[in-house]
């Protein structure tokens, strides 16, 4: 059957089409099945683990993020969309949602609810970053926050939720983990770190020279090649943890072992937001990391912690999985592929004016998850998988076909149609192209007889049934009874 001919000359307009902004993207129907699968999983896990849904506005006072995320972070310093609104108020498109969730927690008196309060969200975030693969200026995050629980079991649950989010979608991932201790731990650590980096100052990149003065913890986040050997040999924060932070971390590792969640200790993982305390982690897609297999226990290298200390548990050694040397890893990893990031933020509620309240959370980036699903061609449920095509010929038939379509919809039988088309040939061809097994055809004769033709699109065999009985007849055919 010949298709209607496309116009030969491409349409030329004198008007310019406005273009998509840099770093922004449209999500088209062809990708919808991935987004639905990912949203479905995010919601399913939220329900299963008892997270209540929260939605906060996209616009917030800019100072919320300056205070929460930190004035000297890349996010606030370089990437935040800030502008004055018509009232002269300095507002910001949210670069992340943890700060907003904590603001809402305080503002709605959730401190008075039974603790912990577990909240989840889904929505767009904005960072005016340099666009590149997997990095957009508007992107979507899901997020899970547990507020009001200082126990490492909360950290473990947050990691578990994020881990299951990926693995249950079929994505092999691993967890990279570190503890950056309390503010006091870091004060002690930073003295050593700064001394060490000062001794290597001449070899540092320009950015690191600034970090050394302004925000020494960020030295460990440097991606410049020249700084890597210095970073690798830097003092390790795990060695500077006080007993309490150390116990917290050890206990978290035990929970993860119990849950069989593979993890790698990454002593340079500090995260790009200032609100973190103790646990920090990221989840990475497996192929970009050196090894899928958890490795054997390592010997006690600098910073490695090999046994549970003090009152935490018995003397069972903890298996610490170390990463391969940094050089090998960096070679295989494109920039910016962390699928999600999170950690504990015990000081944030207090920082934003609430009663001191410990908390932890995680935020998976959704575009990166969708990208992984597509890249690996992982199966996700098809949407709108039509089982019937409603075809019509003539004005009266079209009216009946509209009614029939409604009858099918009420029975939740997905049907396709082309009501704007008059040619039966075209409609049947469309049904064939979409591989729809049955067409329901109404022509003038069927209108008069109050019948419908059911056509098996494979064999071409047709039968005529009473209009009122057609729904139950097709239900039998497609096995819906
Ligand atoms: P984050 O690491 O800044 O953490 O972002 C979390 C995830 O959002 C990243 O791992 C990545 O998948 C995605 N993401 C970040 N920036 C972009 C971008 N420009 N384009 C595409 N995807 C991006 C946070 O936002 C924290 N609020 C996480 C958290 C929740 N910590 C505690 N609770």
């Amino acid at each position: 059957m010949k298709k209607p001919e496309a116009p030969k000359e491409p349409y030329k307009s004198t008007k310019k089409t406005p273009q998509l902004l840099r770093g922004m993207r449209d999500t088209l129907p062809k990708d919808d099945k991935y987004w639905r699968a990912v949203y479905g999983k995010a919601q399913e896990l939220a329900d299963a683990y008892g997270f209540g849904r929260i939605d906060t506005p996209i616009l917030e006072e800019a100072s919320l993020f300056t205070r929460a995320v930190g004035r000297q972070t890349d996010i606030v310093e370089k990437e935040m969309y800030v502008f004055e609104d018509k009232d002269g108020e300095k507002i910001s498109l949210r670069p992340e949602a943890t700060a907003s969730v904590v603001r809402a927690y305080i503002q709605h008196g959730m401190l008075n609810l039974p603790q912990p309060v577990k909240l989840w969200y889904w929505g767009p975030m904005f960072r005016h970053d340099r666009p590149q693969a997997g990095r957009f200026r508007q992107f979507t995050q899901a997020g899970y926050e547990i507020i009001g629980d200082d126990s490492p079991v909360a950290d473990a649950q947050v990691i578990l939720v994020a881990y299951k989010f990926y693995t249950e979608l079929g994505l092999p991932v691993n967890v990279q983990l570190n503890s950056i201790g309390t503010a006091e731990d870091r004060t002690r650590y930073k003295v050593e770190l700064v001394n060490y980096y000062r001794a290597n100052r001449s070899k540092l990149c320009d950015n690191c020279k600034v970090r050394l003065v302004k925000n020494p913890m960020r030295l460990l986040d440097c991606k410049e090649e020249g700084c890597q050997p210095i970073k690798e040999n830097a003092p390790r924060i795990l060695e500077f943890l006080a007993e309490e932070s150390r116990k917290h971390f050890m206990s978290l590792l035990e929970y993860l072992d119990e849950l069989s969640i593979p993890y790698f200790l990454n002593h340079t993982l500090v995260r790009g937001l200032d609100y973190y305390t103790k646990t920090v982690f990221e989840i990475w897609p497996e192929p970009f990391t050196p090894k899928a297999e958890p490795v054997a226990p390592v010997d006690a290298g600098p910073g490695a912690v090999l046994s549970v200390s003090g009152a935490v548990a018995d003397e069972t050694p903890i298996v610490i999985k170390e990463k391969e040397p940094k050089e090998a890893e960096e070679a295989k990893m494109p920039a910016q592929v962390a699928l999600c990031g999170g950690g504990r933020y015990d000081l944030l509620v207090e920082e934003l004016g609430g009663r001191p309240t410990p908390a932890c959370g995680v935020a998976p980036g959704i575009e990166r998850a969708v990208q992984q699903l597509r890249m690996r061609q992982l199966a996700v449920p098809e949407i709108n998988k039509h089982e019937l095509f409603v075809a019509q010929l003539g004005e009266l038939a079209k009216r009946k076909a509209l009614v029939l379509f409604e009858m099918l919809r009420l029975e939740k039988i997905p049907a396709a149609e082309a009501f704007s088309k008059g040619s039966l040939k075209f409609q049947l061809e469309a049904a064939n192209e979409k591989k729809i097994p049955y067409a329901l055809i109404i022509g003038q004769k069927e209108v008069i007889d109050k019948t419908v033709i059911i056509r098996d699109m494979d064999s071409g065999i047709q039968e005529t049934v009473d209009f009122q009985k057609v729904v139950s007849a097709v239900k039998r055919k497609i096995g819906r009874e």
Side-chain angles (χ1 to χ4, degrees):
M1 219 179 272
K2 251 182 90 192
K3 282 193 178 164
E5 281 186 14
K8 292 212 168 61
E9 289 296 312
Y11 180 72
K12 277 193 191 132
S13 172
T14 50
K15 294 178 182 153
K16 201 167 171 260
T17 305
Q19 296 298 294
L20 195 62
L21 289 173
R22 258 192 101 204
M24 306 279 169
R25 54 199 295 282
D26 300 312
T27 305
L28 302 179
K30 68 182 170 53
D31 281 338
D32 192 31
K33 62 178 177 182
Y34 294 105
W35 282 80
R36 285 199 202 196
V38 173
Y39 183 83
K41 183 52 72 185
Q43 187 175 43
E44 179 198 319
L45 291 169
D47 291 346
Y49 291 98
F51 288 81
R53 174 64 182 247
I54 186 164
D55 283 297
T56 59
I58 285 164
L59 293 177
E60 296 269 5
E61 278 180 21
S63 63
L64 169 64
F65 303 107
T66 316
R67 280 167 64 186
V69 176
R71 196 176 290 280
Q72 271 148 23
T73 57
D74 282 356
I75 293 178
V76 168
E77 209 171 45
K78 301 183 192 154
E79 298 164 10
M80 201 156 73
Y81 282 88
V82 190
F83 51 93
E84 274 188 15
D85 70 2
K86 292 202 162 92
D87 305 322
E89 211 175 330
K90 217 171 162 198
I91 58 177
S92 166
L93 289 175
R94 62 180 183 194
E96 61 106 53
T98 308
S100 311
V101 168
V102 169
R103 177 202 47 70
Y105 172 88
I106 300 168
Q107 229 165 339
H108 295 277
M110 289 189 235
L111 301 137
N112 301 317
L113 297 176
Q115 305 292 303
V117 174
K118 295 164 84 175
L119 300 166
W120 88 282
Y121 51 87
W122 173 286
M125 309 293 154
F126 302 83
R127 296 183 194 175
H128 195 273
D129 202 352
R130 197 160 46 84
Q132 51 182 264
R135 212 199 280 182
F136 308 104
R137 289 183 174 169
Q138 177 178 333
F139 58 97
T140 312
Q141 277 184 354
Y144 302 87
E145 313 286 354
I146 302 182
I147 309 181
D149 191 341
D150 64 358
S151 153
V153 79
D155 310 38
Q157 191 176 65
V158 152
I159 294 174
L160 175 68
V161 171
Y163 184 73
K164 292 294 172 189
F165 176 71
Y166 297 109
T167 52
E168 290 183 6
L169 284 168
L171 294 171
V173 293
N174 69 72
V175 180
Q176 310 244 339
L177 195 59
N178 195 17
S179 171
I180 55 166
T182 59
E184 296 75 42
D185 297 339
R186 279 198 299 281
T187 305
R188 280 197 313 278
Y189 172 63
K190 273 191 253 178
V191 173
E192 284 293 314
L193 187 69
V194 166
N195 282 343
Y196 166 81
Y197 265 88
R198 273 208 194 115
N200 289 286
R201 195 175 181 284
S202 59
K203 297 178 225 151
L204 298 179
C205 70
D206 288 347
N207 260 341
C208 278
K209 284 178 183 152
V210 178
R211 288 179 183 130
L212 185 52
V213 182
K214 278 187 155 182
N215 196 349
M217 291 298 285
R218 310 286 309 145
L219 288 162
L220 298 173
D221 214 24
C222 180
K223 306 280 183 298
E224 287 293 322
E225 211 167 304
C227 295
Q228 298 313 305
I230 305 166
K231 193 169 107 175
E232 255 328 290
N233 294 317
R236 297 181 176 212
I237 186 143
L238 289 182
E239 289 177 353
F240 292 79
L241 298 186
E243 185 61 11
E244 203 256 322
S245 306
R246 195 180 155 84
K247 267 167 60 175
H248 186 98
F249 193 54
M250 292 289 90
S251 181
L252 167 62
L253 299 189
E254 284 188 326
Y255 286 125
L256 296 181
D257 285 340
E258 195 66 41
L259 290 163
S260 303
I261 297 179
Y263 54 83
F264 295 87
L265 289 193
N266 180 348
H267 74 97
T268 61
L269 182 67
V270 287
R271 309 267 302 123
L273 304 95
D274 278 355
Y275 51 59
Y276 291 113
T277 51
K278 296 184 179 165
T279 312
V280 286
F281 68 93
E282 285 178 352
I283 294 186
W284 292 63
E286 199 58 76
F288 302 115
T289 51
K291 266 193 186 135
E293 303 299 313
V295 294
V298 291
D299 55 355
V305 192
L306 281 178
S307 64
V308 182
S309 63
V312 179
D314 56 20
E315 293 302 303
T316 322
I318 285 181
V319 177
I320 299 254
K321 294 113 187 174
E322 279 275 347
K323 294 193 303 171
E324 266 192 352
K326 206 70 196 162
E327 302 78 62
E329 186 196 340
E330 299 268 299
K332 288 179 210 162
M333 278 195 290
Q336 295 285 321
V337 293
L339 296 175
C340 74
R344 186 158 272 287
Y345 47 94
D346 288 345
L347 303 177
L348 186 55
V349 179
E350 193 181 352
E351 170 57 38
L352 295 180
R355 184 201 304 152
T357 308
C360 60
V362 62
I366 303 306
E367 282 77 5
R368 292 182 191 178
V370 168
Q371 200 175 30
Q372 288 286 323
L373 290 175
R374 287 179 55 104
M375 198 176 81
R376 294 161 197 259
Q377 299 175 350
L378 290 174
V380 292
E382 291 293 333
I383 46 177
N384 283 337
K385 199 161 171 14
H386 298 128
E387 298 188 78
L388 300 171
F389 192 100
V390 178
Q392 35 68 39
L393 188 64
E395 189 50 38
L396 281 179
K398 195 173 292 195
R399 290 190 208 165
K400 294 291 167 212
L402 283 168
V403 173
L404 176 57
F405 193 88
E406 281 309 289
M407 287 159 62
L408 294 167
R409 190 184 64 79
L410 289 175
E411 291 291 323
K412 301 201 169 15
I413 303 173
E417 47 77 21
F419 290 139
S420 62
K421 304 290 177 194
S423 146
L424 187 60
K425 230 171 144 191
F426 177 90
Q427 293 176 69
L428 294 182
E429 200 180 61
N432 248 337
E433 265 172 30
K434 293 182 177 182
K435 299 193 171 59
I436 296 175
Y438 296 99
L440 304 183
I441 307 167
I442 307 178
Q444 278 167 20
K445 183 170 183 316
E446 286 71 37
V447 174
I448 293 163
D449 295 351
K450 297 191 174 52
T451 56
V452 178
I453 296 170
I454 305 176
R455 179 185 173 94
D456 182 320
M457 294 301 293
D458 259 352
S459 64
I461 294 172
Q462 301 193 156
E463 63 177 293
T464 303
V465 293
D466 192 87
F467 187 88
Q468 292 306 330
K469 294 189 181 143
V470 67
V471 172
S472 44
V474 292
K475 269 177 144 181
R476 268 196 303 279
K477 284 191 183 297
I478 61 174
R480 282 289 186 94
E481 267 193 341

